[in-house]
Amino acid sequence: MRTSTPLPRICIALGLSDPEALLAHARAEADAGEQFFEFRLDYLPRPEQGIGAIRDFLKERSEASLLATCRRRQNQGRFNGSIEEQIRLLEAAAEAGARAVDVEIESAESATSRLDAFRGRTMLVLSYHNFEGTPAMETVLRRMMRIPADAYKLATTARKPSDNQRVLALAKAHARDGVVVLAMGEMGFPTRVLSPAFGGLFTYAAPYSAEGTASGQIGAKALRGLYRIEKFTRQAKIYGVVADPVRHSISPAVHNRAFQARRMDAVYIPLLTHSGQLKDLMETAGKLPLAGLSVTIPHKQKIMRYLDAIEPLARRIGAVNTVWRKAGKWRGANTDAAGVTKPLARRLRLVKSSILLVGNGGAARGAAFALVEAGARVSIVGRNPERVRALAQACGGEALVAGQLVDHHFDALVHATPMGMYPHAGECYFEDRIPADVVFDMVYNPLETLLCRRAREQGRTVIPGWEMFIEQAVEQFQIWTGEAAPRAVMERAALEALGHGSGVAATDL
Ligand code: NAP
């Protein structure tokens, strides 16, 4: 048993139904630099095949640390045998060189004396799983600690944002007891990134080229490269994007790269928050604590009721996309507004310019107020004349109907509907002449929309939607950190993230 060196922070969970595939994946991960692997013996049709796999693997990679698990079906694993058979298999795994074995608390409580077989030979990890929710964590740990072990793993399911905080608080309070904590499910994602910094022994990750073994698990490559879980410290500032859905958001890619470029002790995570859970999220934000938030669909309006101070433009627009804490108070701003005005201001003088805005939804509203405030004359068209009129009246612009556009020409046009956005890339509001010199399409997926292509063909100056995304992110970074944002790095990260994903949703911003 090698207990002298600390365990690596990331354990690659390998659950494969074929011993050769198990070995192949373990080798590939080891080649990529990973050193700690969970071999799920219960995934194999004959779990004893896993013992040979452990032996073979350690023969080749003596530096690797292996955790052997043979979860019983009763506890959501795949092993059909008895507790006695389970413990015998784990003993054989220890004999073969596994540095640690995982025994679920239910088995441990039924066969306490059999656990002596592991003591002094391997690291005994007692585990608790709850697939329904996150109960009182201290109570669960107290129950587990009645049985002496080297580590206690508690895997619960996050049902609300605050479950993350309760799970992480346990790691903080019991760092010396050797705990491994995580909340399963997409909502529990923050625990997978944050638990080692909060005092957890390690976190689990999915292998690079196979499914993970639990919901919400992400790949080690992202944990290391994107979230830098081996770099940020216990004092790191924590930021995140509050959204539903949040899965495809490119904001973590952009902001984490920015923190990395500025060598900041900070991390940015997705915070899935359903409608009706904002209050819970904001209570957690104070306790975790979170330093700042990007806020997006469907929360940009409702977040305002949880803030102590809101910048005047954001109040006029009626939406906040940026939240931060200063002197103990939560503050809110709208950087989407700068996302529209700044790229335009680089191409034309906004004061007294004529701008046509297409659409009357949330993004159009932000653009309308920001452009009027910047001194532009704003005209608005859309498919619902009543809503167009209401927005024009609210912001001090002019409402037009599509038929009036034939004899109009504008300095710039801002398109703010989902037309042309994946999967409707063949749609475009303008069939022929585009009535403006500068054409700004808010849609950024695909990177070049049909509107942008037509505008380019007509010799117009084109502003693609990703510029708006970058601009609002740059402003957020500056508000949060007080430092100039590494714009080029952020641009590269966004384009890379967008280029690789084929189906980024409108709600991702
Ligand atoms: P929203 O609140 O749902 O508003 C959508 C607007 O588009 C409404 O005015 C709606 O008209 C109109 N619309 C929808 N489908 C249409 C169609 N087929 N033909 C004509 N009009 C249509 O959405 P949003 O938040 O304003 O977002 C609008 C677009 O901007 C999205 O594509 C989004 O991805 C993009 N966006 C980009 C950024 C960025 O950083 N680049 C930021 C925010 C938004 P009705 O009122 O008649 O329904």
Side-chain angles (χ1 to χ4, degrees):
M1 180 175 62
R2 290 188 298 110
T3 47
S4 48
T5 48
L7 283 170
R9 279 189 165 192
I10 299 176
C11 177
I12 311 290
L14 293 169
L16 293 126
S17 56
D18 166 40
E20 281 312 311
L22 173 65
L23 274 175
H25 277 92
R27 284 187 193 115
E29 297 291 328
D31 288 345
E34 297 302 333
Q35 294 194 321
F36 185 19
F37 309 91
E38 180 185 33
F39 275 25
R40 287 290 298 259
L41 307 184
D42 55 312
Y43 274 57
L44 298 166
R46 290 191 297 117
E48 55 278 13
Q49 292 174 309
I51 310 302
I54 291 174
R55 213 169 261 125
D56 289 351
F57 188 65
L58 288 175
K59 227 180 271 163
E60 296 167 24
R61 321 272 173 152
S62 58
E63 281 315 295
S65 295
L66 295 191
L67 163 65
T69 300
C70 189
R71 185 100 51 241
R72 295 182 73 218
R73 196 165 282 282
Q74 291 83 336
N75 302 315
Q76 310 278 335
R78 299 186 181 181
F79 182 58
N80 285 317
S82 66
I83 292 176
E84 178 53 35
E85 285 163 334
Q86 176 191 31
I87 289 181
R88 252 191 274 128
L89 275 163
L90 292 176
E91 274 184 87
E95 189 68 29
R99 184 173 170 185
V101 295
D102 175 320
V103 180
E104 55 261 34
I105 185 69
E106 293 82 355
S107 296
E109 285 174 340
S110 305
T112 314
S113 59
R114 289 289 282 112
L115 302 179
D116 290 339
F118 301 115
R119 298 207 168 90
R121 290 171 69 195
T122 187
M123 182 177 172
L124 174 61
V125 182
L126 287 192
S127 63
Y128 164 87
H129 295 83
N130 189 321
F131 294 87
E132 304 303 319
T134 299
M137 300 296 283
E138 287 286 352
T139 312
V140 176
L141 184 61
R142 258 199 311 277
R143 167 187 166 196
M144 298 176 79
M145 287 179 79
R146 281 194 211 118
I147 301 176
D150 300 294
Y152 299 91
K153 171 192 172 187
L154 292 85
T156 65
T157 299
R159 296 280 172 218
K160 46 189 194 301
S162 59
D163 288 341
N164 287 295
Q165 187 266 325
R166 294 195 300 114
V167 164
L168 292 167
L170 189 86
K172 207 174 217 172
H174 291 276
R176 282 162 188 237
D177 296 320
V179 291
V180 179
V181 296
L182 60 98
M184 294 179 281
E186 194 183 349
M187 198 164 272
F189 185 90
T191 62
R192 297 196 177 268
V193 175
L194 299 175
S195 66
F198 273 70
L201 277 180
F202 58 84
T203 189
Y204 291 84
Y208 182 62
S209 53
E211 296 272 302
T213 53
S215 131
Q217 218 172 58
I218 62 160
K221 201 170 167 226
L223 275 180
R224 257 182 230 294
L226 177 57
Y227 294 100
R228 297 177 300 134
I229 78 156
E230 291 185 311
K231 297 279 163 53
F232 69 83
T233 73
R234 282 168 197 220
Q235 286 75 42
K237 290 218 157 88
I238 305 166
Y239 299 88
V241 51
V242 181
D244 182 13
V246 74
R247 191 185 303 246
H248 299 292
S249 174
I250 64 168
S251 293
V254 171
H255 282 295
N256 281 313
R257 281 279 174 274
F259 291 141
Q260 185 179 14
R262 289 282 179 262
R263 298 181 187 284
M264 285 177 176
D265 191 11
V267 62
Y268 184 104
I269 46 180
L271 298 160
L272 176 65
T273 305
H274 298 317
S275 293
Q277 293 186 325
L278 263 185
K279 183 167 186 278
D280 181 79
L281 183 271
M282 288 310 284
E283 281 166 9
T284 291
K287 288 186 199 155
L288 206 59
L290 296 172
L293 301 168
S294 306
V295 182
T296 184
I297 288 172
H299 302 303
K300 284 187 189 182
Q301 285 86 32
K302 291 223 174 76
I303 190 75
M304 296 173 77
R305 67 176 74 146
Y306 301 104
L307 305 177
D308 303 300
I310 294 169
E311 297 209 329
L313 178 59
R315 194 170 283 291
R316 279 203 294 286
I317 293 170
V320 158
N321 78 324
T322 307
V323 167
W324 71 103
R325 196 138 81 145
K326 195 172 166 195
K329 301 250 187 265
W330 287 110
R331 293 166 184 274
N334 188 313
T335 67
D336 287 334
V340 175
T341 52
K342 290 210 167 168
L344 277 171
R346 282 189 211 111
R347 275 92 169 184
L348 76 157
R349 223 175 92 84
L350 280 176
V351 178
K352 295 211 170 75
S353 64
S354 59
I355 312 256
L356 175 66
L357 183 59
V358 183
N360 53 262
R365 186 177 166 87
F369 279 87
L371 289 167
V372 168
E373 169 141 320
R377 287 178 286 118
V378 176
S379 305
I380 309 172
V381 285
R383 65 178 175 185
N384 182 320
E386 244 168 70
R387 282 202 279 264
V388 168
R389 258 199 307 278
L391 176 57
Q393 212 165 14
C395 73
E398 165 198 36
L400 293 179
V401 290
Q404 290 175 285
L405 294 181
V406 279
D407 39 57
H408 274 69
H409 194 80
F410 300 85
D411 295 322
L413 175 161
V414 177
H415 172 248
T417 87
M419 289 184 78
M421 187 177 73
Y422 179 89
H424 306 290
E427 292 179 359
C428 179
Y429 189 83
F430 298 93
E431 283 307 321
D432 37 49
R433 188 185 74 93
I434 299 171
D437 295 332
V438 177
V439 176
F440 187 166
D441 191 353
M442 283 196 188
V443 176
Y444 64 97
N445 181 30
L447 287 174
E448 178 165 85
T449 60
L450 184 53
L451 174 61
C452 289
R453 202 173 74 229
R454 284 196 178 146
R456 217 181 288 283
E457 282 162 9
Q458 292 178 28
R460 313 296 193 223
T461 299
V462 171
I463 308 178
W466 59 263
E467 273 198 40
M468 176 177 176
F469 177 80
I470 291 299
E471 203 64 55
Q472 62 79 30
V474 159
E475 294 278 319
Q476 289 188 326
F477 185 94
Q478 284 164 191
I479 288 174
W480 291 334
T481 66
E483 290 194 24
R487 177 187 290 272
V489 169
M490 294 168 84
E491 254 179 46
R492 260 202 312 280
L495 291 176
E496 207 177 284
L498 286 170
H500 289 179
S502 56
V504 179
T507 48
D508 294 346
L509 290 182

